[in-house]
Amino acid sequence: MPHGHSHGGSSHAPDAHSSHGHSSPSGHGAHHHHGPAHYDRSFALGALLNIGFVVVEAIYGLLANSTALLADAGHNLSDVMGLLLAWGAAWLGRRIPKGRYTYGFGNASILASLSNAMILLIAVGAILLEAANRLAAPEPVGETTVMAVAVVGIVINAWTAWLFMGGQKQDINLRGAYLHMAADAAVSLGVVVAALAIRFTGWLWLDPATSIVIALVIIAGTWGLLRDSVRLAMNGVPDGIDRMGVEGYLAGLPGVAAVHDLHIWPISTTETALTAHLVRPGMLQDDALLQEISSVLKDRFGIGHATIQVEHDGSCCRLAPADVV
């Protein structure tokens, strides 16, 4: 994250700060909406429903001797943990900045999405281990019980996914919740199909084989979340932000001879910040231009928190070289 810098010998105009409304008419505001603030009820309902279902699924998974049900119960438990993490992060993100946390607590949402992805991958390892053991020694399964419980799972997971559908395009936290619940609904459907196949064929290996398919579905759904979460945690430019386009826009402003120390990074899963130094030799302070820059960065590029530093002589800035951070 960029730090404050002093630059001997250079003249600086006041910083330009954009407001924190984060909608982007151009479609680039993928990380700039306060989606989680409006999803407390969805988090609460989703968590409660899935906690209850995990208990029921685990009990009947043991009674039916089904690794597919137990695997899905473990997956649903990790989803509950993920929902609670995302909910807690959304709450923290709404707290005002104070003390040492001058950017507030929005980064908690990034940490929550990263933790969520890691929890899911750990759950996958446990599922694959148990499935491998059952493939080596298949055991009878209570098909009717498995199907009944899985049907309930389809309903609960599909409805929970629907709760987050409206916000999943704006926030990686909500996207994680949505994808996991939607995948769970599909997985529960797979469990129903496997139970039917076992009833008609008697192939007991289908139950652990279904567990393996469940694990692969989880990996496929989690990999993108993990990749995006790691990039945000490393202060990478968020998806939907055109870095080269931003640099080109700033470089093409009237009187700008050079742009350096350009940084674009997430301060939460819904907000993006930017700092940049503009070299404008011989130009007077232009507050109107700074306000225009802030507006364009927000409306065209979806960057809601911009700080622009203007210099008359870029050679005096120790941060001018591209390899200096």
Side-chain angles (χ1 to χ4, degrees):
M1 185 172 295
H3 304 285
H5 312 290
S6 61
H7 311 283
S10 59
S11 175
H12 308 302
D15 293 340
H17 298 282
S18 69
S19 66
H20 289 278
H22 304 289
S23 62
S24 174
S26 64
H28 291 288
H31 294 270
H32 321 283
H33 303 265
H34 293 289
H38 306 290
Y39 284 84
D40 285 346
R41 186 168 178 268
S42 297
F43 279 123
L45 288 174
L48 286 173
L49 279 173
N50 280 274
I51 287 172
F53 182 60
V54 164
V55 173
V56 171
E57 195 170 29
I59 291 172
Y60 280 97
L62 291 171
L63 292 175
N65 197 31
S66 170
T67 54
L69 275 185
L70 291 174
D72 199 36
H75 182 204
N76 278 308
L77 179 60
S78 68
D79 283 342
V80 170
M81 296 173 66
L83 284 174
L84 294 177
L85 279 170
W87 191 8
W91 175 78
L92 280 174
R94 296 195 295 271
R95 296 185 64 189
I96 61 173
K98 63 179 181 179
R100 294 178 179 271
Y101 300 95
T102 57
Y103 271 114
F105 301 87
N107 247 274
S109 57
I110 298 174
L111 296 177
S113 62
L114 181 59
S115 299
N116 196 2
M118 294 175 67
I119 289 170
L120 282 170
L121 292 179
I122 292 172
V124 165
I127 291 171
L128 290 174
L129 180 62
E130 181 61 23
N133 292 334
R134 285 296 184 94
L135 276 175
E139 298 180 15
V141 174
E143 300 92 350
T144 302
T145 300
V146 170
M147 283 189 290
V149 175
V151 167
V152 174
I154 293 172
V155 174
I156 289 177
N157 289 316
W159 188 71
T160 306
W162 176 79
L163 291 176
F164 296 100
M165 182 179 295
Q168 57 97 13
K169 292 183 179 180
Q170 288 87 38
D171 188 343
I172 191 174
N173 262 347
L174 297 182
R175 176 155 58 95
Y178 170 78
L179 288 176
H180 291 168
M181 295 302 130
D184 282 352
V187 165
S188 294
L189 178 60
V191 171
V192 171
V193 173
L196 281 172
I198 292 173
R199 168 173 288 185
F200 288 108
T201 65
W203 296 343
L204 299 180
W205 57 266
L206 285 174
D207 183 68
T210 301
S211 298
I212 294 175
V213 173
I214 289 173
L216 294 177
V217 169
I218 297 171
I219 291 173
T222 304
W223 186 252
L225 179 66
L226 179 63
R227 181 193 62 232
D228 292 344
S229 299
V230 169
R231 182 175 63 251
L232 294 182
M234 295 292 291
N235 289 330
V237 178
D239 276 344
I241 303 293
D242 180 4
R243 185 196 180 283
M244 297 303 294
V246 170
E247 186 170 6
Y249 161 71
L250 294 175
L253 290 168
V256 173
V259 177
H260 61 262
D261 200 38
L262 173 62
H263 297 281
I264 305 170
W265 76 100
I267 52 179
S268 75
T269 55
T270 61
E271 298 179 71
T272 299
L274 170 149
T275 60
H277 294 195
L278 307 184
V279 180
R280 302 183 77 217
M283 303 296 290
L284 297 176
Q285 177 176 316
D286 190 343
D287 289 343
L289 178 61
L290 293 177
Q291 291 300 322
E292 178 188 340
I293 292 171
S294 281
S295 296
V296 171
L297 288 175
K298 182 182 71 173
D299 296 337
R300 184 188 302 177
F301 298 102
I303 298 172
H305 192 292
T307 303
I308 304 297
Q309 180 166 291
V310 178
E311 301 167 354
H312 290 166
D313 182 3
S315 64
C316 296
C317 180
R318 68 177 183 83
L319 296 174
D323 60 340
V324 175
V325 177

